[in-house]
Amino acid sequence: RYLLYDVNPPEGFNLRRDVYIRIASLLKTLLKSENWVLVLPPWGRLYHWQSPSILQVRIPWSEFFDLPSLNKNIPVIEYEQFLAESGGPFIEQIYVLQGYAEGWKEGTWEEKTDERPCIDQLMYSKDKHEYYRGWFWGYEETRGLNVSCLSVQGSASIVAPILLKNTSAQSVMLDRAENLLHDHYGGKDYWNTRRSMVFAKHLRVVGDEFRNKYLQSTDEADRTHYKEDWTQMKVKMGTALGGPYLGVHLRRKDFIWGHREDVPSLQGAVKKIRSLLEMHKLEKVFVATDAVEEEIELLKKLLPEMVRFEPSWEELELYKDGGLAVIDQWICAHARYFIGTSVSTFSFRIHEEREILGFDPKTTYNRFCGEKEKNCEQPTHWKIVY
């Protein structure tokens, strides 16, 4: 049987990667009873992917991730393969996941799920043949046969009984899947899925070539050897050294429009970067940022030694915004020392990547502080579990 899912449209690339981990644990629960396969939801039209001139829709996972690696953890197929195998663009049952209209009473948290009337307006409408039309990852020809709403409160595996007992549909889609929580955040199962999310080789190669050319960084010298088979990769914490540069993730845009206390001014960030370069006796700093052009220009003035991965138009079209995010993260993950942005999932994914590579946590779990912040709490160390 086929499990499909989708996520609230405004959510970005790096939160969606987290939702994949939750759905993977649901699939593992289903596999204990029946034969299921996860259909990977095509990428497209994400808020952060703002390169205007390129069409970014219906993008398969293989553009960003290594599918054989994913398959060593759970059985997955691309959406196009689902269309070919299942006999047409039909999804038999769609469950739109939602909370409980009544909320949850203080102190009485319990895991539960119930078929309930839809709270929000449905993002699906019936056509003249009584089929449901919707976004469906940009595949307009896809149709849903049944749509109902499911109130959920709890971790991903609570919907397993419904999928196993309440519906016999061959293909089931969970929409708004981010409403499910992790079964065990940071546990062995979590890390197995996270480790299986190996970046596509062509993107890692681009990142490695950039490190070598502009940052004097190689796996040999940095002690960051990478095994293609993630199941064989087990590095003792603190063995990785990293390249002779500082890695920085500076999230701007909506993080500053939100006037957040925990985000520094550019001047504040540069001051911190300077002190870190000095402290770690480094001369180069690699910066991943979504800053607008004016801010980039100011950064160049304040920080002339800044190095960025600046794609040509051809590279942008080839790797797309998601691929550029992967390349940026891969380069940050290999730095001698990394500092990121408070509660940014982009920074969190770099933390995990560095954890997998075997860096000392002191070089990883760091963030910028806002100028007005009273107590600047640093990110939590989620230790890898094998």
Side-chain angles (χ1 to χ4, degrees):
R1 295 173 69 185
Y2 299 97
L3 179 65
L4 304 94
Y5 75 97
D6 202 3
V7 176
N8 195 20
E11 300 296 357
F13 183 58
N14 292 294
L15 181 108
R16 287 165 185 266
R17 288 167 62 189
D18 187 74
V19 175
Y20 171 80
I21 298 180
R22 307 176 209 178
I23 298 297
S25 66
L26 164 61
L27 199 87
K28 288 176 185 179
T29 301
L30 294 172
L31 285 169
K32 290 174 186 156
S33 313
E34 279 179 358
N35 208 357
W36 285 75
V37 61
L38 182 62
V39 182
L40 299 166
W43 298 94
R45 68 155 202 191
L46 296 186
Y47 154 78
H48 305 81
W49 293 3
Q50 293 172 340
S51 302
S53 46
I54 57 172
L55 187 65
Q56 307 198 54
V57 74
R58 299 193 291 275
I59 302 171
W61 277 57
S62 60
E63 299 240 348
F64 307 136
F65 298 98
D66 181 63
L67 254 62
S69 296
L70 293 178
N71 265 303
K72 285 189 169 132
N73 178 55
I74 54 164
V76 300
I77 56 171
E78 299 273 23
Y79 188 68
E80 299 258 345
Q81 192 185 335
F82 163 75
L83 291 178
E85 277 183 21
S86 65
F90 297 99
I91 299 171
E92 286 181 43
Q93 175 66 52
I94 297 166
Y95 289 116
V96 180
L97 304 185
Q98 60 184 19
Y100 280 82
E102 64 273 23
W104 53 284
K105 294 169 210 63
E106 210 54 66
T108 57
W109 174 266
E110 49 170 341
E111 299 227 313
K112 55 181 183 173
T113 173
D114 298 279
E115 280 202 45
R116 287 280 183 96
C118 302
I119 299 170
D120 297 318
Q121 164 141 28
L122 258 194
M123 301 304 276
Y124 297 91
S125 54
K126 268 190 173 178
D127 66 14
K128 59 176 187 289
H129 304 293
E130 298 285 296
Y131 291 135
Y132 287 93
R133 303 290 194 97
W135 162 239
F136 295 123
W137 317 281
Y139 285 83
E140 282 97 28
E141 68 280 13
T142 300
R143 312 273 190 276
L145 304 191
N146 291 291
V147 177
S148 46
C149 288
L150 211 52
S151 284
V152 292
Q153 180 173 289
S155 55
S157 289
I158 56 160
V159 295
I162 291 191
L163 302 185
L164 295 168
K165 300 191 181 81
N166 292 25
T167 176
S168 56
Q170 278 302 107
S171 50
V172 183
M173 171 178 173
L174 302 178
D175 199 355
R176 298 300 302 272
E178 77 282 354
N179 282 304
L180 295 168
L181 307 174
H182 281 281
D183 281 340
H184 304 286
Y185 188 84
K188 181 179 186 302
D189 195 48
Y190 172 94
W191 276 106
N192 277 350
T193 298
R194 177 60 187 84
R195 286 160 60 219
S196 77
M197 298 177 81
V198 172
F199 291 140
K201 177 125 194 190
H202 67 277
L203 298 175
R204 285 182 283 131
V205 166
V206 172
D208 290 342
E209 285 175 353
F210 184 92
R211 284 166 52 209
N212 192 2
K213 189 170 174 186
Y214 298 103
L215 298 163
Q216 285 68 60
S217 160
T218 62
D219 285 345
E220 209 69 56
D222 301 357
R223 302 206 291 266
T224 49
H225 288 291
Y226 199 71
K227 288 199 169 73
E228 287 299 322
D229 180 354
W230 63 269
T231 61
Q232 301 303 307
M233 172 124 180
K234 190 173 177 180
V235 187
K236 204 162 135 272
M237 195 184 294
T239 48
L241 173 65
Y245 61 98
L246 180 67
V248 170
H249 172 231
L250 206 50
R251 181 64 194 278
R252 305 299 289 164
K253 287 205 174 144
D254 52 335
F255 275 48
I256 33 176
W257 307 329
H259 294 300
R260 296 209 340 214
E261 294 269 287
D262 54 354
V263 174
S265 66
L266 280 188
Q267 287 79 358
V270 169
K271 196 177 152 202
K272 178 68 177 171
I273 289 168
R274 288 242 169 274
S275 83
L276 287 171
L277 286 171
E278 212 168 299
M279 189 194 307
H280 298 280
K281 300 190 176 44
L282 298 169
E283 278 159 22
K284 293 200 166 171
V285 49
F286 176 82
V287 179
T289 184
D290 62 345
V292 292
E293 208 42 58
E294 298 93 288
E295 286 201 323
I296 298 276
E297 290 311 313
L298 178 58
L299 265 178
K300 283 179 181 165
K301 281 196 189 73
L302 298 171
L303 198 64
E305 58 272 64
M306 169 173 79
V307 178
R308 285 165 58 240
F309 181 81
E310 299 174 275
S312 63
W313 196 83
E314 288 75 19
E315 287 174 315
L316 177 58
E317 204 173 25
L318 195 57
Y319 308 136
K320 308 184 175 55
D321 284 319
L324 298 184
V326 167
I327 292 165
D328 269 349
Q329 289 183 351
W330 187 245
I331 298 168
C332 281
H334 287 78
R336 184 82 33 100
Y337 186 96
F338 172 72
I339 182 166
T341 299
S342 176
V343 301
S344 158
T345 53
F346 188 104
S347 288
F348 290 160
R349 301 293 83 88
I350 293 169
H351 295 166
E352 294 160 349
E353 215 57 56
R354 291 177 66 86
E355 188 73 13
I356 291 165
L357 287 168
F359 278 92
D360 181 326
K362 287 195 282 297
T363 69
T364 293
Y365 297 89
N366 309 293
R367 73 166 177 92
F368 289 105
C369 305
E371 273 84 347
K372 296 194 185 73
E373 239 181 315
K374 300 280 183 291
N375 55 348
C376 174
E377 207 179 309
Q378 294 301 300
T380 312
H381 175 201
W382 291 97
K383 193 171 178 303
I384 194 163
V385 185
Y386 291 102

Short mmCIF file of all heavy atoms in Angstrom, two decimals, residues 248-274 276 287-291 295 298-299 302 339-344 347 366-374 376-378:
data_model
loop_
_atom_site.label_atom_id
_atom_site.label_comp_id
_atom_site.label_asym_id
_atom_site.label_seq_id
_atom_site.Cartn_x
_atom_site.Cartn_y
_atom_site.Cartn_z
N VAL A 248 29.33 30.19 8.89
CA VAL A 248 28.31 31.09 9.44
C VAL A 248 27.00 30.93 8.70
O VAL A 248 26.96 30.93 7.46
CB VAL A 248 28.78 32.57 9.32
CG1 VAL A 248 27.65 33.53 9.65
CG2 VAL A 248 29.99 32.82 10.21
N HIS A 249 25.91 30.78 9.45
CA HIS A 249 24.58 30.90 8.83
C HIS A 249 23.89 32.12 9.41
O HIS A 249 23.62 32.18 10.61
CB HIS A 249 23.72 29.66 9.08
CG HIS A 249 22.30 29.87 8.63
ND1 HIS A 249 21.21 29.62 9.44
CD2 HIS A 249 21.80 30.35 7.46
CE1 HIS A 249 20.09 29.93 8.78
NE2 HIS A 249 20.42 30.37 7.58
N LEU A 250 23.62 33.07 8.55
CA LEU A 250 23.03 34.33 8.96
C LEU A 250 21.66 34.45 8.31
O LEU A 250 21.54 34.83 7.15
CB LEU A 250 23.96 35.47 8.50
CG LEU A 250 23.94 36.79 9.26
CD1 LEU A 250 24.07 36.56 10.76
CD2 LEU A 250 25.07 37.69 8.77
N ARG A 251 20.64 34.09 9.06
CA ARG A 251 19.27 34.14 8.54
C ARG A 251 18.74 35.56 8.69
O ARG A 251 18.80 36.14 9.76
CB ARG A 251 18.41 33.16 9.34
CG ARG A 251 16.96 33.06 8.91
CD ARG A 251 16.86 32.52 7.50
NE ARG A 251 15.50 32.77 7.02
CZ ARG A 251 14.47 31.99 7.32
NH1 ARG A 251 14.63 30.93 8.05
NH2 ARG A 251 13.27 32.29 6.86
N ARG A 252 18.22 36.11 7.59
CA ARG A 252 17.72 37.49 7.63
C ARG A 252 16.23 37.54 7.31
O ARG A 252 15.42 37.00 8.02
CB ARG A 252 18.51 38.36 6.64
CG ARG A 252 20.01 38.34 6.84
CD ARG A 252 20.47 38.86 8.19
NE ARG A 252 20.29 40.30 8.33
CZ ARG A 252 20.31 40.94 9.50
NH1 ARG A 252 20.50 40.28 10.62
NH2 ARG A 252 20.16 42.24 9.55
N LYS A 253 15.88 38.16 6.21
CA LYS A 253 14.51 38.28 5.72
C LYS A 253 13.45 38.26 6.81
O LYS A 253 13.38 39.17 7.62
CB LYS A 253 14.24 37.23 4.64
CG LYS A 253 14.97 37.60 3.35
CD LYS A 253 14.34 37.01 2.11
CE LYS A 253 15.06 37.57 0.87
NZ LYS A 253 15.18 36.59 -0.17
N ASP A 254 12.61 37.20 6.84
CA ASP A 254 11.50 37.22 7.80
C ASP A 254 11.96 37.19 9.25
O ASP A 254 11.20 37.53 10.16
CB ASP A 254 10.50 36.09 7.53
CG ASP A 254 11.17 34.73 7.43
OD1 ASP A 254 12.38 34.68 7.09
OD2 ASP A 254 10.51 33.71 7.69
N PHE A 255 13.21 36.78 9.48
CA PHE A 255 13.70 36.77 10.87
C PHE A 255 13.96 38.18 11.38
O PHE A 255 13.97 38.41 12.58
CB PHE A 255 14.98 35.92 11.00
CG PHE A 255 14.69 34.45 11.19
CD1 PHE A 255 13.79 33.79 10.37
CD2 PHE A 255 15.31 33.72 12.19
CE1 PHE A 255 13.52 32.44 10.54
CE2 PHE A 255 15.05 32.36 12.37
CZ PHE A 255 14.16 31.72 11.54
N ILE A 256 14.20 39.15 10.46
CA ILE A 256 14.35 40.52 10.94
C ILE A 256 13.04 41.29 10.82
O ILE A 256 12.76 42.15 11.63
CB ILE A 256 15.50 41.32 10.24
CG1 ILE A 256 15.66 40.87 8.79
CG2 ILE A 256 16.81 41.19 10.98
CD1 ILE A 256 16.70 41.68 8.03
N TRP A 257 12.23 40.94 9.80
CA TRP A 257 10.93 41.62 9.71
C TRP A 257 10.13 41.33 10.97
O TRP A 257 9.34 42.12 11.44
CB TRP A 257 10.11 41.14 8.50
CG TRP A 257 10.85 41.22 7.21
CD1 TRP A 257 11.80 42.14 6.87
CD2 TRP A 257 10.70 40.35 6.08
NE1 TRP A 257 12.24 41.89 5.58
CE2 TRP A 257 11.60 40.81 5.08
CE3 TRP A 257 9.90 39.24 5.81
CZ2 TRP A 257 11.72 40.19 3.84
CZ3 TRP A 257 10.01 38.63 4.57
CH2 TRP A 257 10.91 39.09 3.60
N GLY A 258 10.33 40.14 11.51
CA GLY A 258 9.63 39.77 12.74
C GLY A 258 10.17 40.53 13.95
O GLY A 258 9.72 40.31 15.05
N HIS A 259 11.16 41.41 13.73
CA HIS A 259 11.79 42.19 14.81
C HIS A 259 12.14 41.30 15.99
O HIS A 259 11.76 41.59 17.13
CB HIS A 259 10.88 43.33 15.26
CG HIS A 259 10.67 44.34 14.18
ND1 HIS A 259 11.71 45.06 13.61
CD2 HIS A 259 9.55 44.73 13.53
CE1 HIS A 259 11.22 45.85 12.67
NE2 HIS A 259 9.92 45.67 12.58
N ARG A 260 12.82 40.22 15.70
CA ARG A 260 13.09 39.27 16.79
C ARG A 260 14.28 39.73 17.62
O ARG A 260 15.29 40.16 17.10
CB ARG A 260 13.32 37.89 16.20
CG ARG A 260 12.06 37.35 15.52
CD ARG A 260 11.98 35.87 15.55
NE ARG A 260 13.26 35.22 15.79
CZ ARG A 260 13.59 34.07 15.25
NH1 ARG A 260 12.78 33.48 14.42
NH2 ARG A 260 14.74 33.50 15.53
N GLU A 261 14.09 39.60 18.92
CA GLU A 261 15.13 39.99 19.89
C GLU A 261 16.41 39.17 19.73
O GLU A 261 17.49 39.64 20.04
CB GLU A 261 14.60 39.76 21.32
CG GLU A 261 13.44 40.65 21.70
CD GLU A 261 13.91 41.95 22.37
OE1 GLU A 261 14.34 41.89 23.53
OE2 GLU A 261 13.85 43.00 21.70
N ASP A 262 16.24 37.93 19.27
CA ASP A 262 17.39 37.00 19.27
C ASP A 262 18.18 37.01 17.97
O ASP A 262 18.99 36.13 17.73
CB ASP A 262 16.92 35.58 19.60
CG ASP A 262 15.81 35.10 18.68
OD1 ASP A 262 15.33 35.90 17.85
OD2 ASP A 262 15.42 33.92 18.78
N VAL A 263 17.93 37.99 17.11
CA VAL A 263 18.67 38.09 15.85
C VAL A 263 19.50 39.37 15.87
O VAL A 263 19.00 40.44 16.16
CB VAL A 263 17.69 38.09 14.64
CG1 VAL A 263 18.45 38.34 13.35
CG2 VAL A 263 16.96 36.76 14.58
N PRO A 264 20.80 39.26 15.58
CA PRO A 264 21.68 40.43 15.70
C PRO A 264 21.54 41.39 14.51
O PRO A 264 21.02 41.00 13.46
CB PRO A 264 23.08 39.81 15.69
CG PRO A 264 22.93 38.61 14.81
CD PRO A 264 21.53 38.08 15.07
N SER A 265 22.01 42.60 14.65
CA SER A 265 22.17 43.50 13.51
C SER A 265 23.37 42.98 12.71
O SER A 265 24.16 42.18 13.22
CB SER A 265 22.47 44.91 13.99
OG SER A 265 23.73 44.95 14.63
N LEU A 266 23.49 43.43 11.48
CA LEU A 266 24.65 43.00 10.68
C LEU A 266 25.96 43.40 11.37
O LEU A 266 26.90 42.62 11.42
CB LEU A 266 24.59 43.63 9.29
CG LEU A 266 23.66 42.96 8.28
CD1 LEU A 266 23.87 43.56 6.90
CD2 LEU A 266 23.91 41.45 8.22
N GLN A 267 25.98 44.63 11.91
CA GLN A 267 27.19 45.09 12.61
C GLN A 267 27.50 44.18 13.80
O GLN A 267 28.65 43.81 14.03
CB GLN A 267 27.02 46.54 13.09
CG GLN A 267 27.06 47.59 11.99
CD GLN A 267 25.73 47.70 11.21
OE1 GLN A 267 24.78 46.96 11.47
NE2 GLN A 267 25.70 48.62 10.25
N GLY A 268 26.45 43.81 14.53
CA GLY A 268 26.62 42.92 15.68
C GLY A 268 27.16 41.56 15.26
O GLY A 268 28.04 40.98 15.92
N ALA A 269 26.62 41.05 14.14
CA ALA A 269 27.07 39.75 13.64
C ALA A 269 28.54 39.80 13.23
O ALA A 269 29.33 38.91 13.55
CB ALA A 269 26.20 39.31 12.46
N VAL A 270 28.92 40.88 12.53
CA VAL A 270 30.30 41.02 12.06
C VAL A 270 31.27 41.11 13.24
O VAL A 270 32.35 40.50 13.23
CB VAL A 270 30.45 42.24 11.12
CG1 VAL A 270 31.93 42.55 10.86
CG2 VAL A 270 29.72 41.99 9.81
N LYS A 271 30.84 41.82 14.28
CA LYS A 271 31.68 41.94 15.48
C LYS A 271 31.94 40.55 16.08
O LYS A 271 33.08 40.21 16.43
CB LYS A 271 30.95 42.84 16.49
CG LYS A 271 31.82 43.36 17.61
CD LYS A 271 31.04 44.31 18.52
CE LYS A 271 31.62 44.26 19.93
NZ LYS A 271 30.68 44.71 20.95
N LYS A 272 30.89 39.75 16.16
CA LYS A 272 31.02 38.38 16.69
C LYS A 272 31.92 37.54 15.78
O LYS A 272 32.80 36.80 16.27
CB LYS A 272 29.63 37.75 16.82
CG LYS A 272 29.62 36.32 17.31
CD LYS A 272 30.08 36.21 18.75
CE LYS A 272 29.99 34.77 19.25
NZ LYS A 272 30.62 34.62 20.58
N ILE A 273 31.72 37.64 14.48
CA ILE A 273 32.54 36.89 13.53
C ILE A 273 34.02 37.24 13.69
O ILE A 273 34.88 36.35 13.74
CB ILE A 273 32.06 37.15 12.08
CG1 ILE A 273 30.70 36.48 11.84
CG2 ILE A 273 33.09 36.63 11.06
CD1 ILE A 273 29.99 36.91 10.55
N ARG A 274 34.30 38.54 13.82
CA ARG A 274 35.69 38.98 14.01
C ARG A 274 36.31 38.34 15.25
O ARG A 274 37.44 37.86 15.21
CB ARG A 274 35.74 40.51 14.19
CG ARG A 274 35.47 41.26 12.92
CD ARG A 274 36.67 42.10 12.50
NE ARG A 274 36.47 42.61 11.14
CZ ARG A 274 36.78 41.97 10.04
NH1 ARG A 274 37.33 40.78 10.11
NH2 ARG A 274 36.56 42.48 8.85
N LEU A 276 35.47 35.59 16.72
CA LEU A 276 35.63 34.14 16.53
C LEU A 276 36.83 33.83 15.63
O LEU A 276 37.58 32.88 15.88
CB LEU A 276 34.35 33.52 15.93
CG LEU A 276 33.16 33.40 16.87
CD1 LEU A 276 31.91 32.98 16.10
CD2 LEU A 276 33.43 32.39 18.00
N VAL A 287 30.02 32.28 4.51
CA VAL A 287 28.71 32.75 4.98
C VAL A 287 27.58 32.22 4.11
O VAL A 287 27.59 32.40 2.89
CB VAL A 287 28.66 34.30 5.02
CG1 VAL A 287 27.29 34.78 5.48
CG2 VAL A 287 29.75 34.85 5.94
N ALA A 288 26.62 31.56 4.74
CA ALA A 288 25.36 31.19 4.09
C ALA A 288 24.31 32.16 4.60
O ALA A 288 24.12 32.28 5.81
CB ALA A 288 24.98 29.75 4.46
N THR A 289 23.67 32.88 3.69
CA THR A 289 22.69 33.87 4.14
C THR A 289 21.63 34.11 3.08
O THR A 289 21.87 33.90 1.88
CB THR A 289 23.36 35.22 4.48
OG1 THR A 289 22.38 36.12 4.99
CG2 THR A 289 24.05 35.84 3.26
N ASP A 290 20.44 34.50 3.53
CA ASP A 290 19.36 34.85 2.60
C ASP A 290 19.20 36.37 2.55
O ASP A 290 18.16 36.89 2.15
CB ASP A 290 18.05 34.19 3.03
CG ASP A 290 17.58 34.66 4.41
OD1 ASP A 290 18.40 35.26 5.15
OD2 ASP A 290 16.41 34.42 4.76
N ALA A 291 20.25 37.10 2.99
CA ALA A 291 20.19 38.56 3.05
C ALA A 291 19.92 39.16 1.66
O ALA A 291 20.31 38.59 0.65
CB ALA A 291 21.50 39.11 3.60
N GLU A 295 22.08 44.33 1.88
CA GLU A 295 22.75 43.80 3.07
C GLU A 295 24.04 43.07 2.70
O GLU A 295 25.04 43.15 3.41
CB GLU A 295 21.81 42.87 3.84
CG GLU A 295 20.72 43.61 4.59
CD GLU A 295 20.13 42.77 5.72
OE1 GLU A 295 19.98 41.54 5.54
OE2 GLU A 295 19.83 43.34 6.77
N LEU A 298 26.70 45.59 2.14
CA LEU A 298 27.18 46.10 3.43
C LEU A 298 28.10 45.06 4.10
O LEU A 298 29.17 45.41 4.62
CB LEU A 298 25.99 46.44 4.35
CG LEU A 298 26.30 46.94 5.76
CD1 LEU A 298 27.18 48.20 5.72
CD2 LEU A 298 25.02 47.23 6.54
N LEU A 299 27.69 43.79 4.04
CA LEU A 299 28.52 42.71 4.60
C LEU A 299 29.90 42.68 3.94
O LEU A 299 30.92 42.51 4.62
CB LEU A 299 27.84 41.36 4.40
CG LEU A 299 27.00 40.79 5.54
CD1 LEU A 299 26.38 39.46 5.14
CD2 LEU A 299 27.83 40.60 6.82
N LEU A 302 31.96 45.43 5.42
CA LEU A 302 32.33 45.21 6.82
C LEU A 302 33.23 43.99 6.98
O LEU A 302 33.99 43.89 7.94
CB LEU A 302 31.07 45.01 7.68
CG LEU A 302 30.07 46.17 7.78
CD1 LEU A 302 28.79 45.72 8.47
CD2 LEU A 302 30.68 47.36 8.54
N ILE A 339 28.74 28.83 13.56
CA ILE A 339 27.80 29.62 14.34
C ILE A 339 26.57 29.92 13.47
O ILE A 339 26.70 30.29 12.29
CB ILE A 339 28.43 30.93 14.90
CG1 ILE A 339 27.41 31.69 15.74
CG2 ILE A 339 29.03 31.80 13.78
CD1 ILE A 339 28.00 32.79 16.60
N GLY A 340 25.38 29.68 14.03
CA GLY A 340 24.15 29.81 13.25
C GLY A 340 23.19 30.84 13.83
O GLY A 340 23.56 31.65 14.69
N THR A 341 21.96 30.76 13.33
CA THR A 341 20.92 31.70 13.73
C THR A 341 19.96 31.01 14.69
O THR A 341 19.62 29.84 14.52
CB THR A 341 20.16 32.22 12.48
OG1 THR A 341 21.09 32.89 11.64
CG2 THR A 341 19.06 33.18 12.88
N SER A 342 19.52 31.75 15.69
CA SER A 342 18.61 31.22 16.71
C SER A 342 17.35 30.58 16.10
O SER A 342 16.73 31.17 15.22
CB SER A 342 18.21 32.38 17.64
OG SER A 342 17.27 31.93 18.58
N VAL A 343 17.01 29.39 16.59
CA VAL A 343 15.83 28.60 16.19
C VAL A 343 15.56 28.59 14.68
O VAL A 343 14.43 28.61 14.25
CB VAL A 343 14.54 29.00 16.96
CG1 VAL A 343 14.71 28.82 18.44
CG2 VAL A 343 14.09 30.42 16.65
N SER A 344 16.62 28.51 13.88
CA SER A 344 16.44 28.35 12.44
C SER A 344 16.64 26.89 12.07
O SER A 344 17.66 26.29 12.43
CB SER A 344 17.45 29.22 11.69
OG SER A 344 17.63 28.73 10.38
N SER A 347 19.91 26.14 10.35
CA SER A 347 21.04 25.90 11.27
C SER A 347 20.95 24.53 11.94
O SER A 347 21.96 23.84 12.10
CB SER A 347 21.10 27.00 12.33
OG SER A 347 21.54 28.23 11.79
N ASN A 366 26.32 26.60 18.37
CA ASN A 366 26.54 28.01 18.69
C ASN A 366 25.61 28.86 17.86
O ASN A 366 25.31 28.52 16.72
CB ASN A 366 27.99 28.40 18.34
CG ASN A 366 28.99 27.43 18.94
OD1 ASN A 366 29.15 27.35 20.14
ND2 ASN A 366 29.66 26.66 18.07
N ARG A 367 25.15 29.98 18.43
CA ARG A 367 24.31 30.88 17.66
C ARG A 367 24.65 32.33 17.99
O ARG A 367 25.22 32.64 19.04
CB ARG A 367 22.84 30.62 17.95
CG ARG A 367 22.37 31.11 19.33
CD ARG A 367 20.85 31.13 19.36
NE ARG A 367 20.27 31.49 20.64
CZ ARG A 367 19.93 32.74 20.99
NH1 ARG A 367 20.20 33.76 20.18
NH2 ARG A 367 19.36 32.97 22.15
N PHE A 368 24.26 33.21 17.05
CA PHE A 368 24.39 34.65 17.29
C PHE A 368 23.38 35.09 18.35
O PHE A 368 22.32 34.49 18.49
CB PHE A 368 24.12 35.43 16.01
CG PHE A 368 25.21 35.30 14.98
CD1 PHE A 368 25.03 34.49 13.86
CD2 PHE A 368 26.41 35.98 15.14
CE1 PHE A 368 26.03 34.37 12.91
CE2 PHE A 368 27.42 35.86 14.18
CZ PHE A 368 27.23 35.05 13.08
N CYS A 369 23.73 36.14 19.08
CA CYS A 369 22.81 36.70 20.06
C CYS A 369 22.32 38.06 19.57
O CYS A 369 23.04 38.77 18.88
CB CYS A 369 23.52 36.90 21.40
SG CYS A 369 24.29 35.37 21.99
N GLY A 370 21.10 38.39 19.93
CA GLY A 370 20.60 39.73 19.62
C GLY A 370 21.22 40.74 20.57
O GLY A 370 21.56 40.42 21.71
N GLU A 371 21.36 41.98 20.08
CA GLU A 371 21.97 43.02 20.92
C GLU A 371 21.21 43.23 22.23
O GLU A 371 21.79 43.50 23.28
CB GLU A 371 22.01 44.36 20.16
CG GLU A 371 23.27 44.53 19.30
CD GLU A 371 23.15 43.89 17.92
OE1 GLU A 371 22.21 43.09 17.67
OE2 GLU A 371 24.00 44.18 17.09
N LYS A 372 19.88 43.09 22.18
CA LYS A 372 19.07 43.40 23.36
C LYS A 372 18.77 42.16 24.21
O LYS A 372 18.04 42.23 25.18
CB LYS A 372 17.74 44.04 22.93
CG LYS A 372 17.89 45.40 22.24
CD LYS A 372 16.53 46.10 22.17
CE LYS A 372 16.59 47.41 21.38
NZ LYS A 372 16.74 47.16 19.91
N GLU A 373 19.35 41.02 23.81
CA GLU A 373 19.00 39.79 24.51
C GLU A 373 19.60 39.73 25.91
O GLU A 373 20.80 39.95 26.08
CB GLU A 373 19.51 38.59 23.69
CG GLU A 373 18.41 37.65 23.28
CD GLU A 373 18.93 36.46 22.50
OE1 GLU A 373 19.77 36.66 21.60
OE2 GLU A 373 18.52 35.34 22.81
N LYS A 374 18.74 39.42 26.88
CA LYS A 374 19.23 39.34 28.27
C LYS A 374 20.10 38.09 28.45
O LYS A 374 21.28 38.17 28.73
CB LYS A 374 18.04 39.29 29.26
CG LYS A 374 17.12 40.52 29.18
CD LYS A 374 17.69 41.72 29.94
CE LYS A 374 16.71 42.89 29.90
NZ LYS A 374 16.56 43.49 28.53
N CYS A 376 21.34 34.84 26.45
CA CYS A 376 21.40 34.27 25.11
C CYS A 376 21.68 32.78 25.22
O CYS A 376 22.82 32.34 25.33
CB CYS A 376 22.49 34.98 24.32
SG CYS A 376 22.77 34.26 22.70
N GLU A 377 20.60 32.00 25.23
CA GLU A 377 20.75 30.56 25.42
C GLU A 377 21.23 29.90 24.12
O GLU A 377 20.70 30.17 23.05
CB GLU A 377 19.39 29.97 25.83
CG GLU A 377 19.53 28.70 26.64
CD GLU A 377 18.15 28.16 27.04
OE1 GLU A 377 17.35 28.94 27.58
OE2 GLU A 377 17.92 26.96 26.79
N GLN A 378 22.26 29.08 24.24
CA GLN A 378 22.82 28.42 23.06
C GLN A 378 22.01 27.16 22.71
O GLN A 378 21.32 26.62 23.56
CB GLN A 378 24.30 28.09 23.31
CG GLN A 378 25.18 29.34 23.46
CD GLN A 378 25.14 30.23 22.22
OE1 GLN A 378 25.49 29.82 21.13
NE2 GLN A 378 24.72 31.48 22.39
#
